[in-house]
Amino acid sequence: MRLSHRTGALVALVAVLLVMLAPDAMAGTGGTEFKNVWTLLTGWIEGLLGRIIAIVFVVVGLVAGVVRGSIMGFVLGIASGVGLFAAPTIITNIVTATL
């Protein structure tokens, strides 16, 4: 089935009108019920548990690098550990950024 140019133009016009009639999206300030979960998870990641997981990443990457005969496993382990430790700060800065 092939649409004519008029049908395509009509569909495009309706789409534009629907977009123009849509209400503005506003960022919510709610979600305070999840603050305890965020605090708990960031505490784990930035605390002793996060450091243990980061060390495990490094050790597994080192072993994988030795087995494969490449340093890339070690580099990936270091990058994963640093990424895990820095993730809460990065997420917080992205979410709270202002324009």
Side-chain angles (χ1 to χ4, degrees):
M1 182 173 167
R2 190 171 161 189
L3 296 176
S4 68
H5 292 293
R6 285 186 182 174
T7 306
L10 181 62
V11 168
L13 179 64
V14 169
V16 169
L17 289 175
L18 288 175
V19 168
M20 291 174 59
L21 293 175
D24 293 333
M26 300 292 182
T29 57
T32 56
E33 61 272 7
F34 298 110
K35 180 130 178 90
N36 293 336
V37 175
W38 174 257
T39 304
L40 176 70
L41 291 176
T42 55
W44 283 352
I45 291 173
E46 293 175 345
L48 185 61
L49 179 63
R51 292 178 187 178
I52 291 171
I53 293 171
I55 292 293
V56 169
F57 277 144
V58 171
V59 170
V60 169
L62 182 62
V63 170
V66 169
V67 168
R68 292 184 184 160
S70 171
I71 196 167
M72 288 310 295
F74 178 68
V75 171
L76 186 61
I78 292 288
S80 299
V82 170
L84 174 75
F85 194 74
T89 305
I90 294 169
I91 292 170
T92 301
N93 289 338
I94 289 172
V95 172
T96 58
T98 57
L99 298 176

Short mmCIF file of all heavy atoms in Angstrom, two decimals, residues 10-44:
data_model
loop_
_atom_site.label_atom_id
_atom_site.label_comp_id
_atom_site.label_asym_id
_atom_site.label_seq_id
_atom_site.Cartn_x
_atom_site.Cartn_y
_atom_site.Cartn_z
N LEU A 10 -0.62 15.30 5.39
CA LEU A 10 -1.64 15.38 6.43
C LEU A 10 -1.16 14.73 7.72
O LEU A 10 -1.35 15.28 8.81
CB LEU A 10 -2.94 14.72 5.94
CG LEU A 10 -4.11 14.76 6.91
CD1 LEU A 10 -4.51 16.20 7.19
CD2 LEU A 10 -5.28 13.98 6.37
N VAL A 11 -0.51 13.59 7.59
CA VAL A 11 0.03 12.92 8.77
C VAL A 11 1.09 13.79 9.44
O VAL A 11 1.14 13.94 10.66
CB VAL A 11 0.60 11.54 8.39
CG1 VAL A 11 1.41 10.95 9.52
CG2 VAL A 11 -0.53 10.60 7.98
N ALA A 12 1.95 14.42 8.66
CA ALA A 12 2.98 15.30 9.21
C ALA A 12 2.36 16.50 9.90
O ALA A 12 2.80 16.91 10.98
CB ALA A 12 3.92 15.74 8.10
N LEU A 13 1.31 17.08 9.31
CA LEU A 13 0.63 18.22 9.91
C LEU A 13 -0.01 17.84 11.24
O LEU A 13 0.10 18.58 12.23
CB LEU A 13 -0.41 18.78 8.94
CG LEU A 13 -1.22 19.97 9.45
CD1 LEU A 13 -0.30 21.17 9.67
CD2 LEU A 13 -2.34 20.31 8.49
N VAL A 14 -0.67 16.70 11.27
CA VAL A 14 -1.29 16.24 12.51
C VAL A 14 -0.22 15.99 13.59
O VAL A 14 -0.40 16.35 14.75
CB VAL A 14 -2.14 14.97 12.26
CG1 VAL A 14 -2.57 14.32 13.56
CG2 VAL A 14 -3.35 15.30 11.40
N ALA A 15 0.91 15.42 13.19
CA ALA A 15 1.98 15.17 14.15
C ALA A 15 2.52 16.48 14.72
O ALA A 15 2.74 16.60 15.94
CB ALA A 15 3.11 14.38 13.48
N VAL A 16 2.70 17.48 13.88
CA VAL A 16 3.19 18.78 14.35
C VAL A 16 2.18 19.42 15.29
O VAL A 16 2.55 19.98 16.33
CB VAL A 16 3.50 19.70 13.15
CG1 VAL A 16 3.74 21.13 13.59
CG2 VAL A 16 4.71 19.17 12.38
N LEU A 17 0.90 19.35 14.96
CA LEU A 17 -0.13 19.92 15.83
C LEU A 17 -0.18 19.22 17.18
O LEU A 17 -0.34 19.86 18.21
CB LEU A 17 -1.49 19.87 15.13
CG LEU A 17 -1.68 20.83 13.96
CD1 LEU A 17 -3.02 20.59 13.28
CD2 LEU A 17 -1.58 22.27 14.44
N LEU A 18 -0.04 17.90 17.17
CA LEU A 18 -0.06 17.17 18.43
C LEU A 18 1.14 17.53 19.30
O LEU A 18 1.02 17.65 20.52
CB LEU A 18 -0.10 15.66 18.18
CG LEU A 18 -1.43 15.12 17.65
CD1 LEU A 18 -1.30 13.63 17.33
CD2 LEU A 18 -2.53 15.34 18.67
N VAL A 19 2.28 17.74 18.68
CA VAL A 19 3.47 18.13 19.44
C VAL A 19 3.28 19.53 20.03
O VAL A 19 3.66 19.79 21.16
CB VAL A 19 4.74 18.07 18.55
CG1 VAL A 19 5.92 18.75 19.21
CG2 VAL A 19 5.07 16.63 18.22
N MET A 20 2.68 20.41 19.26
CA MET A 20 2.46 21.77 19.74
C MET A 20 1.43 21.82 20.87
O MET A 20 1.50 22.69 21.74
CB MET A 20 2.03 22.68 18.59
CG MET A 20 3.14 22.94 17.59
SD MET A 20 2.63 23.86 16.13
CE MET A 20 2.00 25.36 16.84
N LEU A 21 0.50 20.90 20.89
CA LEU A 21 -0.54 20.89 21.91
C LEU A 21 -0.13 20.14 23.17
O LEU A 21 -0.82 20.19 24.18
CB LEU A 21 -1.82 20.26 21.35
CG LEU A 21 -2.52 21.07 20.24
CD1 LEU A 21 -3.70 20.26 19.69
CD2 LEU A 21 -2.98 22.41 20.77
N ALA A 22 0.98 19.45 23.12
CA ALA A 22 1.43 18.67 24.28
C ALA A 22 1.81 19.61 25.42
O ALA A 22 2.40 20.67 25.20
CB ALA A 22 2.62 17.80 23.89
N PRO A 23 1.49 19.23 26.65
CA PRO A 23 1.87 20.09 27.78
C PRO A 23 3.38 20.06 27.98
O PRO A 23 4.06 19.12 27.60
CB PRO A 23 1.14 19.45 28.96
CG PRO A 23 0.93 18.05 28.55
CD PRO A 23 0.76 18.05 27.07
N ASP A 24 3.88 21.14 28.57
CA ASP A 24 5.32 21.21 28.84
C ASP A 24 5.69 20.16 29.88
O ASP A 24 4.96 19.88 30.82
CB ASP A 24 5.70 22.58 29.39
CG ASP A 24 5.54 23.67 28.35
OD1 ASP A 24 5.63 23.34 27.16
OD2 ASP A 24 5.32 24.83 28.73
N ALA A 25 6.86 19.58 29.69
CA ALA A 25 7.37 18.61 30.65
C ALA A 25 8.17 19.36 31.70
O ALA A 25 9.04 20.16 31.39
CB ALA A 25 8.24 17.59 29.94
N MET A 26 7.86 19.10 32.93
CA MET A 26 8.58 19.75 34.04
C MET A 26 9.29 18.69 34.86
O MET A 26 8.75 17.62 35.12
CB MET A 26 7.59 20.50 34.95
CG MET A 26 6.83 21.57 34.25
SD MET A 26 7.95 22.90 33.80
CE MET A 26 6.84 24.04 33.07
N ALA A 27 10.50 19.00 35.24
CA ALA A 27 11.25 18.07 36.09
C ALA A 27 10.61 18.06 37.47
O ALA A 27 10.30 19.10 38.04
CB ALA A 27 12.70 18.50 36.18
N GLY A 28 10.43 16.88 38.00
CA GLY A 28 9.80 16.74 39.30
C GLY A 28 10.80 16.92 40.43
O GLY A 28 11.98 16.67 40.30
N THR A 29 10.29 17.39 41.53
CA THR A 29 11.12 17.50 42.72
C THR A 29 10.78 16.39 43.71
O THR A 29 11.31 16.36 44.80
CB THR A 29 10.92 18.86 43.41
OG1 THR A 29 9.53 19.01 43.72
CG2 THR A 29 11.36 19.99 42.50
N GLY A 30 9.89 15.52 43.28
CA GLY A 30 9.49 14.42 44.15
C GLY A 30 10.55 13.33 44.17
O GLY A 30 11.70 13.54 43.81
N GLY A 31 10.15 12.18 44.56
CA GLY A 31 11.08 11.06 44.61
C GLY A 31 11.85 10.98 45.91
O GLY A 31 12.84 10.28 46.00
N THR A 32 11.40 11.72 46.90
CA THR A 32 12.12 11.71 48.17
C THR A 32 12.03 10.36 48.86
O THR A 32 12.85 10.06 49.72
CB THR A 32 11.60 12.81 49.12
OG1 THR A 32 10.19 12.63 49.30
CG2 THR A 32 11.87 14.18 48.56
N GLU A 33 11.06 9.55 48.46
CA GLU A 33 10.94 8.22 49.06
C GLU A 33 12.10 7.31 48.67
O GLU A 33 12.35 6.30 49.32
CB GLU A 33 9.61 7.56 48.70
CG GLU A 33 9.39 7.34 47.23
CD GLU A 33 8.75 8.52 46.51
OE1 GLU A 33 8.56 9.58 47.12
OE2 GLU A 33 8.43 8.36 45.33
N PHE A 34 12.84 7.68 47.59
CA PHE A 34 13.98 6.88 47.16
C PHE A 34 15.31 7.41 47.70
O PHE A 34 16.35 6.86 47.42
CB PHE A 34 14.03 6.83 45.63
CG PHE A 34 12.82 6.17 45.03
CD1 PHE A 34 11.90 6.91 44.32
CD2 PHE A 34 12.62 4.82 45.19
CE1 PHE A 34 10.79 6.29 43.78
CE2 PHE A 34 11.52 4.20 44.64
CZ PHE A 34 10.59 4.94 43.94
N LYS A 35 15.27 8.49 48.46
CA LYS A 35 16.50 9.07 48.99
C LYS A 35 17.24 8.10 49.88
O LYS A 35 18.48 8.03 49.84
CB LYS A 35 16.19 10.36 49.75
CG LYS A 35 17.39 11.04 50.32
CD LYS A 35 17.39 12.49 49.96
CE LYS A 35 18.57 13.20 50.58
NZ LYS A 35 19.73 13.18 49.74
N ASN A 36 16.51 7.34 50.68
CA ASN A 36 17.17 6.36 51.56
C ASN A 36 17.88 5.28 50.76
O ASN A 36 18.99 4.86 51.12
CB ASN A 36 16.16 5.72 52.51
CG ASN A 36 15.60 6.71 53.51
OD1 ASN A 36 16.24 7.72 53.81
ND2 ASN A 36 14.42 6.43 54.02
N VAL A 37 17.27 4.84 49.67
CA VAL A 37 17.90 3.83 48.82
C VAL A 37 19.15 4.39 48.17
O VAL A 37 20.20 3.74 48.12
CB VAL A 37 16.90 3.32 47.74
CG1 VAL A 37 17.57 2.36 46.79
CG2 VAL A 37 15.69 2.69 48.39
N TRP A 38 19.08 5.63 47.66
CA TRP A 38 20.24 6.27 47.05
C TRP A 38 21.38 6.40 48.06
O TRP A 38 22.54 6.11 47.76
CB TRP A 38 19.86 7.64 46.49
CG TRP A 38 21.02 8.42 45.96
CD1 TRP A 38 21.65 9.46 46.57
CD2 TRP A 38 21.72 8.19 44.74
NE1 TRP A 38 22.69 9.90 45.79
CE2 TRP A 38 22.75 9.14 44.66
CE3 TRP A 38 21.57 7.28 43.69
CZ2 TRP A 38 23.63 9.21 43.60
CZ3 TRP A 38 22.45 7.35 42.63
CH2 TRP A 38 23.45 8.30 42.59
N THR A 39 21.05 6.83 49.27
CA THR A 39 22.07 6.99 50.31
C THR A 39 22.70 5.65 50.65
O THR A 39 23.92 5.55 50.82
CB THR A 39 21.45 7.62 51.56
OG1 THR A 39 20.84 8.87 51.19
CG2 THR A 39 22.49 7.88 52.62
N LEU A 40 21.89 4.61 50.74
CA LEU A 40 22.40 3.27 51.06
C LEU A 40 23.34 2.77 49.96
O LEU A 40 24.46 2.31 50.24
CB LEU A 40 21.24 2.30 51.24
CG LEU A 40 21.61 0.84 51.49
CD1 LEU A 40 22.23 0.69 52.88
CD2 LEU A 40 20.40 -0.04 51.33
N LEU A 41 22.91 2.87 48.70
CA LEU A 41 23.73 2.37 47.59
C LEU A 41 25.02 3.17 47.42
O LEU A 41 26.08 2.59 47.20
CB LEU A 41 22.93 2.38 46.29
CG LEU A 41 21.79 1.36 46.22
CD1 LEU A 41 21.00 1.53 44.93
CD2 LEU A 41 22.30 -0.04 46.35
N THR A 42 24.95 4.49 47.52
CA THR A 42 26.17 5.28 47.41
C THR A 42 27.10 5.02 48.59
O THR A 42 28.32 5.04 48.43
CB THR A 42 25.88 6.78 47.30
OG1 THR A 42 25.09 7.19 48.40
CG2 THR A 42 25.20 7.11 45.99
N GLY A 43 26.54 4.76 49.74
CA GLY A 43 27.37 4.41 50.90
C GLY A 43 28.11 3.10 50.66
O GLY A 43 29.29 2.97 51.01
N TRP A 44 27.42 2.13 50.09
CA TRP A 44 28.07 0.85 49.78
C TRP A 44 29.16 1.03 48.73
O TRP A 44 30.26 0.51 48.86
CB TRP A 44 27.05 -0.14 49.26
CG TRP A 44 26.17 -0.76 50.31
CD1 TRP A 44 26.30 -0.64 51.66
CD2 TRP A 44 25.03 -1.59 50.09
NE1 TRP A 44 25.31 -1.32 52.29
CE2 TRP A 44 24.52 -1.92 51.35
CE3 TRP A 44 24.40 -2.05 48.95
CZ2 TRP A 44 23.40 -2.73 51.49
CZ3 TRP A 44 23.29 -2.86 49.10
CH2 TRP A 44 22.80 -3.19 50.35
#
